[in-house]
Amino acid sequence: MSLKSQLAKFTAQSAHFVLHDVLKRGGTSLPGKLAVSIDPDVLSAIATDFDLVVVTGTNGKTLTTALITRILKAGGYSVITNPSGSNMVQGIAGTLLTTKITPSPNGKKPIAVLEVDEANVLSLAKAIQPKYFVLTNIFRDQMDRYGEIYTTYQKIIDGILQAPDATVITNGDSPIFARGDYPNKRLYYGFDNVKESDYKDLKAPNNTDGILSPTDHSVLHYHFITYANLGRYFSVTDDFKRPHLDTAVTAIDELTPKSSRFAIDGQPLKMEIGGLYNIYNALAAYSVGKAFDVTPAQMAAAFDEDKQVFGRQESLKIGNKDLTILLIKNPVGTNTVIDMMETEPAPFTLIAMLNANYADGIDTSWIWDAEFERLHDSQLKAVMTGGERYKDITVRLKMAGFPIQETFPKTEEIVQAIEAAPTDKVYLAATYTAMLQVRAVLREKGYIKEEY
Amino acid sequence: MADYKLTLAHLYGDLMNTYGDYGNIIALRYYAKQIGVEIDDQLVSLNDDFDSKAYDFVLFGGGQDYEETIVANDLAGKKEGLKEYIENDGPLLAVCGGFQLLGHYMEMADGSKVDGIGVMDHYTTNMTDPSVKVAKGTRLTGDIVIKNNETGETYHGFENHQGRTFLGKGEKALGTVVSGRGNNGMDQSEGVIYHNVYGSYFHGPIFTRNGNLAKRVLATALERKYPDVDWQAKLEKVPAETF
């Protein structure tokens, strides 16, 4: 490492120490920013210390990263990873420069598993050659920030092209990932839990994006759909179809809001996380585990560890209320959250909170693409609304046919809102900054301790 | 079972559906239900015929550049049907890409030109066109408020478009820009009204945020199909949502 790189690294570590240990504040951006300003090549200088796995895509990055970390640790690797939210280059630089890398217990090279914002894949891959890219999915997401899905995918491909020797582990059920001109080896994961005799001839629902065949732009059909535009797709005009899967979900045995039992490649697995969409995250993580020779038994044990994996879903007790906080940020993500609420057996209350700050997306139109109407088929008993854009979400839910029990424009009143719920079970679905505000209030009132 | 029914064509609802366009149907249905009217929405997409007599309302939403190119090719086959529908005062809401494709042409950000069907006289250049004098090279993004000069109604929305649209013969603006950018950032016009076609760049979606406009268009569609009923009187009793 050059003197300049050493100085950059030392500066980052010092800044991190001051921030965390002296000022007791979170954040990895500032140390990273300082280090990069001293030596723009500082990341390249430390790149040989570990193998890099980049996790990117619209939804599921955080949980996939957490699961990969858990699996690789179970396989005897030393793993470093970035905290959720620090997924831009400066935050990543901060993480890499301030985390002590210890040798792997299994004697192999340590691994860095990094959640990377789609638009930041290129600059990271330029600095450090990843060994694996893990792509979760690409859905419409805050179009004022990210633009169109094919533009987002191209940004990721630009990053992949920097590392032609890297393997791309990608979602075979998503038609967009059959596109893309890059030479890398691809490994596909997907669902194969439906018997051939149960195959149907389906089209994706109207309000679904990315359903055209790359060969002749015809609308794709599906033998089965797991959610949104994911499933066993095929063209009716030529022989274009879903690629062969290298890793597959072979059974779904039980889904509850808080747990799932399923099998990958025939290996029975269970985890304390609900939601079909999270099984895709587990599947991506399993594929990475296989690539690093973690055994199925080790992975099963890793999934089954009895601690909450930090994703964008958490459960708390507020008085006698059983509260689940869920992040909603785009139509598909919200629909998957609605799917999960549909599996809730107990009567529940929904508190929906909408903000429209930069991090949430400043255009709130997307709430109309989420199918709140489906909650008529659930145990939903009462709806309340809040957030800075409570008016938008109130009209959305009203037009979905739900009477609004109460509206809480002030987030400081969130505890009263939760206590006002007529059911014990409460789901709070909030956009990113609304969720941070809720967490700040709950932390202040002593209901949660850790920082987000 | 409702006494009255409107049949709605969602043009390319599987491909042109970004920005919550579907919400416009949700809003129409919300108001229609309160006056005993059922809305039956049908998808009309690639390779389907458009029968100008079959529908009481048409929604043509916006899409991504790629899907919009595919739709533009297919739309040529629906030109006669749509022209007949529009000239016979069929009510239609066209948003963003749908609005653009009813005109002569539109230019994508990369300069490529996509032909519209020219059933209306507007055209759309891109943001770097020499004729663009305001906010050249940047998307027009943000909250927008417009006022319709004839009715005095005010409409709220969110705009996010790179294309610059210029209205043509027989076309009036949906409103004059009070705050925000509008069709092209220069002439203070936003959207279009031509016969019973309402075009706009508004996300929001426009009918959800502007109950006054949703009710106005709903009344137009109902009066055209059921002229003997006093729809204005029925709709007056229904509160309009706005936010």
Side-chain angles (χ1 to χ4, degrees):
Chain A
M1 194 183 281
S2 72
L3 195 62
K4 199 164 138 193
S5 295
Q6 283 180 27
L7 176 66
K9 189 174 174 183
F10 175 73
T11 305
Q13 286 165 344
S14 308
H16 184 262
F17 173 78
V18 172
L19 279 175
H20 284 254
D21 300 277
V22 182
L23 300 173
K24 308 285 180 202
R25 279 174 50 195
T28 51
S29 283
L30 181 67
K33 199 171 171 178
L34 290 172
V36 172
S37 70
I38 293 169
D39 179 9
D41 298 324
V42 62
L43 282 181
S44 315
I46 58 162
T48 49
D49 296 352
F50 48 79
D51 282 334
L52 175 61
V53 177
V54 164
V55 181
T56 193
T58 307
N59 293 338
K61 290 187 284 286
T62 303
L63 188 67
T64 302
T65 301
L67 287 172
I68 293 172
T69 301
R70 204 188 245 201
I71 282 174
L72 293 177
K73 280 183 177 164
Y77 289 90
S78 169
V79 183
I80 49 179
T81 186
N82 53 336
S84 151
S86 287
N87 62 13
M88 315 260 190
V89 163
Q90 288 174 346
I92 289 166
T95 296
L96 293 179
L97 295 169
T98 57
T99 310
K100 191 167 160 48
I101 303 171
T102 53
S104 293
N106 67 7
K108 295 181 187 170
K109 207 171 182 180
I111 302 168
V113 183
L114 300 178
E115 167 186 341
V116 184
D117 173 81
E118 298 91 296
N120 281 256
V121 175
L122 174 61
S123 41
L124 179 66
K126 268 186 180 164
I128 310 179
Q129 290 267 308
K131 192 163 187 187
Y132 291 94
F133 290 93
V134 181
L135 314 186
T136 58
N137 48 57
I138 299 180
F139 297 120
R140 284 200 306 240
D141 188 16
Q142 302 170 20
M143 306 195 69
D144 52 293
R145 279 174 70 197
Y146 289 97
E148 307 187 343
I149 58 170
Y150 300 102
T151 317
T152 303
Y153 186 37
Q154 190 54 49
K155 285 180 184 160
I156 295 173
I157 291 172
D158 291 343
I160 292 172
L161 289 171
Q162 294 289 324
D165 295 333
T167 298
V168 179
I169 295 178
T170 182
N171 190 335
D173 287 353
S174 173
I176 193 170
F177 291 132
R179 294 171 182 260
D181 189 14
Y182 55 87
N184 304 51
K185 181 181 175 193
R186 300 187 199 196
L187 292 174
Y188 287 104
Y189 60 85
F191 273 54
D192 245 340
N193 61 323
V194 178
K195 284 192 306 235
E196 204 173 324
S197 55
D198 291 334
Y199 285 175
K200 298 188 171 70
D201 184 356
L202 304 168
K203 283 198 213 177
N206 268 359
N207 227 0
T208 310
D209 209 16
I211 52 159
L212 291 177
S213 166
T215 56
D216 62 357
H217 317 298
S218 61
V219 175
L220 290 168
H221 289 226
Y222 289 81
H223 286 129
F224 60 84
I225 292 172
T226 52
Y227 75 90
N229 64 354
L230 306 183
R232 195 177 199 274
Y233 61 81
F234 62 99
S235 167
V236 289
T237 53
D238 61 24
D239 55 9
F240 176 72
K241 59 175 197 243
R242 185 179 77 170
H244 169 76
L245 300 178
D246 300 285
T247 306
V249 165
T250 44
I252 297 288
D253 300 310
E254 189 189 36
L255 290 176
T256 78
K258 286 184 178 167
S259 69
S260 18
R261 285 196 301 113
F262 55 102
I264 295 177
D265 294 351
Q267 170 70 43
L269 301 164
K270 68 186 171 80
M271 59 179 184
E272 300 298 311
I273 304 163
L276 183 76
Y277 58 105
N278 282 323
I279 296 185
Y280 271 101
N281 301 331
L283 186 53
Y286 197 96
S287 306
V288 175
K290 266 165 77 173
F292 282 97
D293 298 320
V294 183
T295 67
Q298 285 170 326
M299 290 201 268
F303 279 121
D304 200 15
E305 266 176 53
D306 187 28
K307 71 174 180 215
Q308 202 164 316
V309 180
F310 189 65
R312 298 289 171 93
Q313 174 188 335
E314 66 180 318
S315 300
L316 306 166
K317 267 294 202 196
I318 305 286
N320 61 349
K321 304 296 181 192
D322 180 8
L323 174 72
T324 302
I325 301 178
L326 299 158
L327 176 74
I328 53 171
K329 58 172 186 167
N330 54 38
V332 171
T334 306
N335 284 341
T336 55
V337 160
I338 289 168
D339 285 341
M340 199 206 71
M341 286 192 261
E342 284 184 294
T343 65
E344 173 59 57
F348 67 92
T349 300
L350 169 66
I351 303 176
M353 299 185 63
L354 181 70
N355 277 8
N357 296 309
Y358 179 73
D360 306 292
I362 57 175
D363 182 357
T364 62
S365 314
W366 65 269
I367 59 176
W368 297 87
D369 286 326
E371 299 171 70
F372 290 102
E373 286 77 4
R374 290 215 311 259
L375 288 170
H376 285 294
D377 299 328
S378 73
Q379 294 299 312
L380 177 62
K381 297 298 173 226
V383 173
M384 294 192 264
T385 53
E388 292 160 6
R389 295 292 289 262
Y390 65 91
K391 287 181 184 169
D392 304 46
I393 191 71
T394 298
V395 173
R396 174 69 190 96
L397 289 163
K398 198 170 165 182
M399 287 194 177
F402 299 104
I404 309 299
Q405 177 178 308
E406 213 162 337
T407 295
F408 291 87
K410 290 187 186 151
T411 302
E412 302 83 73
E413 294 169 2
I414 193 64
V415 174
Q416 290 94 301
I418 295 162
E419 282 167 352
T423 60
D424 289 343
K425 180 84 223 169
V426 178
Y427 283 95
L428 190 155
T431 58
Y432 189 69
T433 67
M435 182 172 172
L436 294 185
Q437 290 164 357
V438 166
R439 288 188 55 95
V441 173
L442 294 180
R443 193 165 56 234
E444 192 187 297
K445 298 196 187 291
Y447 291 105
I448 41 179
K449 289 194 175 65
E450 83 282 17
E451 283 187 40
Y452 185 60
Chain B
M1 186 63 196
D3 301 332
Y4 302 97
K5 184 172 110 175
L6 293 179
T7 305
L8 183 154
H10 192 179
L11 269 188
Y12 306 101
D14 52 350
L15 300 171
M16 301 284 275
N17 54 20
T18 45
Y19 313 118
D21 290 329
Y22 186 76
N24 291 304
I25 300 179
I26 297 173
L28 273 187
R29 187 170 278 139
Y30 171 80
Y31 293 111
K33 194 178 171 187
Q34 296 181 63
I35 52 168
V37 176
E38 184 189 339
I39 303 268
D40 172 22
D41 69 301
Q42 298 180 1
L43 174 68
V44 178
S45 189
L46 299 180
N47 305 315
D48 295 337
D49 287 328
F50 179 80
D51 177 354
S52 67
K53 305 254 181 332
Y55 304 103
D56 309 306
F57 183 83
V58 175
L59 172 66
F60 191 3
Q64 311 191 65
D65 286 354
Y66 164 57
E67 278 85 1
E68 210 161 312
T69 313
I70 306 305
V71 163
N73 281 331
D74 183 84
L75 190 64
K78 296 178 176 61
K79 177 179 173 173
E80 291 315 313
L82 277 166
K83 191 178 168 69
E84 198 174 292
Y85 177 81
I86 290 168
E87 293 300 323
N88 282 316
D89 296 329
L92 185 152
L93 174 67
V95 186
C96 213
F99 170 28
Q100 295 169 342
L101 288 175
L102 293 177
H104 296 294
Y105 64 86
M106 57 158 297
E107 279 174 0
M108 302 274 187
D110 66 2
S112 58
K113 197 166 168 178
V114 176
D115 284 332
I117 51 172
V119 295
M120 288 164 66
D121 199 34
H122 55 273
Y123 62 93
T124 304
T125 68
N126 72 10
M127 61 190 178
T128 52
D129 189 85
S131 69
V132 174
K133 306 291 183 208
V134 176
K136 190 174 183 141
T138 56
R139 294 182 71 88
L140 304 181
T141 303
D143 292 317
I144 175 166
V145 179
I146 63 171
K147 186 173 180 179
N148 182 292
N149 296 327
E150 280 170 36
T151 63
E153 286 178 349
T154 299
Y155 306 131
H156 301 258
F158 184 91
E159 58 181 338
N160 182 6
H161 54 108
Q162 75 82 20
R164 308 296 153 102
T165 298
F166 297 88
L167 300 181
K169 215 173 103 200
E171 296 187 317
K172 281 189 290 191
L174 174 61
T176 302
V177 174
V178 176
S179 63
R181 298 291 198 170
N183 285 337
N184 49 52
M186 295 186 286
D187 65 14
Q188 305 306 306
S189 71
E190 203 297 321
V192 68
I193 300 178
Y194 174 76
H195 286 271
N196 285 326
V197 176
Y198 294 78
S200 178
Y201 275 111
F202 274 29
H203 306 172
I206 191 165
F207 283 174
T208 68
R209 292 194 65 173
N210 304 285
N212 46 5
L213 183 63
K215 283 166 60 180
R216 176 178 296 281
V217 175
L218 182 61
T220 305
L222 285 163
E223 280 158 5
R224 186 166 170 265
K225 186 167 187 187
Y226 304 106
D228 300 333
V229 181
D230 186 355
W231 293 107
Q232 301 286 357
K234 283 180 185 271
L235 276 167
E236 257 171 36
K237 294 180 194 131
V238 179
E241 295 293 342
T242 181
F243 60 91

